[in-house]
Amino acid sequence: KRAMADTTHLSRASGLEERAMNQQKRVLFLSITSGQGHNAAAKAVKSYLEEKQVQCRILDTYTYLSRPVGKGVDKGYTFIARYRPEALEMIFRGYEENQSVEKSLPFKFADLQKRKLARYIQEYDPDVIICPHVLACILVSKIREAGLLQREIPCIGINTDYSPISMWDKVDIDYIVVAADFLVPLLTQRGVSQEKLLAFGIPVDPKFEKRQGKEEARKKLGLEQIDTILVLSGGAGLGHLEESVQDLGQIAQQCQIVVVCGSNKRLKAKLEEFAKPYPLMKILGYTNNLDEYMDAADIVYTKPGGLTSTETLTKDKPLVLMDPLPGVESWNQVYFANHSLACITNDFFTGSAVAGLLLKDKSRQEEMASARARLVKHNSAKALGDFALELAEKNRKI
């Protein structure tokens, strides 16, 4: 009898818990792994929403719909970015110049997979969908076009770069979060309704909003109390990181250089070998406390990826940019340089020269700090999270 009573009690508790879960607001993030920035933006907003007791789920959308396609997009992007970066420019230029972009592979794939994803969405039954990648927005557009959902679910896209690439004006979603104010008129000119555009900025983890003193951070990380350059190249260690670090050898006796290679183990081994004659050069792999290394730095030297650059600017650190990967990073670089948010480098005016001069140029550092104070969007994950909560509340009342 006791066992039966306990079972009945557990069953009732489970039912109550299930009903309580059903009363929770739910947000579904449709992410796509091609680079790390899109997932990082999703996780930043998810973290904030979960603090508000919102049930959240991040779906690796392409991998769910077709594992070979999902892995192909992820590994393919990494391979092209590492070994054939010029192909990225051809891809993005093709999207910009092709008037029939709706006939491209992402739209065809979305058309083929729309029913499978619609069933997944129907089962999870979210109050809001957030897409940190334009390819996920294309999938939602095809689902809407076919009328496959029983109810209208608000959808928000996140543009994680400072670029108005053409696909954003071809998707049927309710709102698009953009990185900066200048993108609003550019996207409006391309036919996107201004009411859809939310200039919240790229969502970053709230830990990048916090700051500790350089001396305190260096002590905590076991670094020397001297001028410090932090060198990054995204989570996968892509771009021109190896050449940039080798060039920094010219000033490696004058300042401390900390290099984060991300998940690129092969590159880490090569740079460790290179750094042996330089006791002030430290080579790291993947780290989950990048925010603290930024606190310790005087300058952050990185490729102009949307997320890493935004994290640096949010940390209020001077930004020096190595050559971009072709495509959206070229847009990012131009925006940062034109607005005094970064110093750029090339084959003739290399990172060692730019960073070395910037460390001594206090007036230039002040000019860049003023630009950051004027232009950087803070608390973007909170702004988007709060907006999603408002949409969820309205959606439940309909």
Side-chain angles (χ1 to χ4, degrees), residues 111-127:
D111 201 35
L112 287 171
Q113 299 293 337
K114 60 181 182 278
R115 295 184 185 280
K116 183 175 181 179
L117 183 58
R119 288 193 294 271
Y120 182 95
I121 294 171
Q122 201 82 357
E123 182 182 337
Y124 185 62
D125 193 26
D127 297 292

Side-chain angles (χ1 to χ4, degrees), residues 49-289:
L49 287 171
E50 286 178 338
E51 290 178 3
K52 299 290 183 180
Q53 307 305 310
V54 177
Q55 185 181 343
C56 297
R57 183 183 296 179
I58 297 177
L59 178 69
D60 186 351
T61 313
Y62 264 29
T63 301
Y64 168 75
L65 294 173
S66 170
R67 184 168 292 275
V69 172
K71 293 297 180 185
V73 169
D74 182 18
K75 302 298 182 186
Y77 175 83
T78 302
F79 178 86
I80 292 171
R82 187 169 290 164
Y83 301 111
R84 295 287 185 272
E86 66 279 2
L88 288 176
E89 184 170 10
M90 292 175 61
I91 293 168
F92 283 102
R93 192 175 294 279
Y95 287 140
E96 286 296 303
E97 295 175 355
N98 185 1
Q99 298 302 311
S100 57
V101 70
E102 292 97 330
K103 296 179 182 178
S104 62
L105 286 174
F107 284 86
K108 290 180 179 179
F109 179 75
D111 201 35
L112 287 171
Q113 299 293 337
K114 60 181 182 278
R115 295 184 185 280
K116 183 175 181 179
L117 183 58
R119 288 193 294 271
Y120 182 95
I121 294 171
Q122 201 82 357
E123 182 182 337
Y124 185 62
D125 193 26
D127 297 292
V128 177
I129 296 170
I130 297 177
C131 300
H133 199 299
V134 71
L135 296 184
C137 295
I138 292 170
L139 283 157
V140 172
S141 296
K142 285 295 181 182
I143 289 170
R144 286 183 164 184
E145 184 183 296
L148 294 175
L149 295 179
Q150 291 178 2
R151 67 187 183 96
E152 281 296 318
I153 303 171
C155 180
I156 307 170
I158 307 174
N159 184 353
T160 56
D161 286 287
Y162 296 76
S163 157
I165 62 169
S166 62
M167 284 186 178
W168 286 106
D169 59 357
K170 303 293 192 301
V171 293
D172 176 21
I173 57 173
D174 301 291
Y175 299 97
I176 301 170
V177 174
V178 295
D181 294 330
F182 87 103
L183 286 170
V184 174
L186 287 181
L187 285 166
T188 302
Q189 289 169 15
R190 294 188 174 205
V192 180
S193 169
Q194 187 168 339
E195 288 70 31
K196 287 186 173 186
L197 299 171
L198 308 172
F200 292 156
I202 299 173
V204 300
D205 192 303
K207 67 185 181 182
F208 291 96
E209 299 283 357
K210 301 172 184 176
R211 298 173 199 168
Q212 60 180 320
K214 284 184 286 192
E215 292 77 12
E216 180 186 351
R218 288 170 189 166
K219 182 178 179 181
K220 184 175 181 181
L221 296 168
L223 301 176
E224 302 294 328
Q225 295 291 350
I226 57 174
D227 287 345
T228 301
I229 300 172
L230 176 64
V231 191
L232 312 169
S233 192
L238 300 175
H240 304 274
L241 184 62
E242 183 177 357
E243 303 96 307
S244 299
V245 173
Q246 290 172 349
D247 168 65
L248 288 173
Q250 297 181 60
I251 58 172
Q253 307 289 359
Q254 306 161 30
C255 58
Q256 183 168 234
I257 298 169
V258 180
V259 183
V260 179
C261 301
S263 59
N264 195 334
K265 295 179 181 178
R266 178 174 166 273
L267 178 60
K268 179 175 181 285
K270 289 179 70 175
L271 291 179
E272 283 174 336
E273 187 65 28
F274 171 79
K276 283 181 179 177
Y278 305 110
L280 293 175
M281 184 178 284
K282 302 184 185 303
I283 310 298
L284 308 175
Y286 178 82
T287 176
N288 58 10
N289 60 337

Side-chain angles (χ1 to χ4, degrees), residues 2 47 70 91 127 141 145 160 182 213 235 240 269 301 319 322-323 353 362 384-385:
R2 282 180 187 164
S47 177
I91 293 168
D127 297 292
S141 296
E145 184 183 296
T160 56
F182 87 103
H240 304 274
Y301 181 27
L319 185 61
M322 57 187 74
D323 284 346
K362 300 304 179 186
L384 175 51

Side-chain angles (χ1 to χ4, degrees), residues 286-339:
Y286 178 82
T287 176
N288 58 10
N289 60 337
L290 188 61
D291 56 311
E292 293 183 315
Y293 281 99
M294 285 186 180
D295 283 328
D298 293 279
I299 290 172
V300 177
Y301 181 27
T302 183
K303 73 183 184 72
L307 198 89
T308 303
S309 298
T310 302
E311 289 168 346
T312 301
L313 295 172
T314 302
K315 271 289 188 183
D316 199 29
K317 293 292 176 174
L319 185 61
V320 174
L321 297 175
M322 57 187 74
D323 284 346
L325 291 172
V328 292
E329 287 191 5
S330 298
W331 270 93
N332 296 346
Q333 183 193 57
V334 170
Y335 169 73
F336 295 138
N338 283 350
H339 292 81

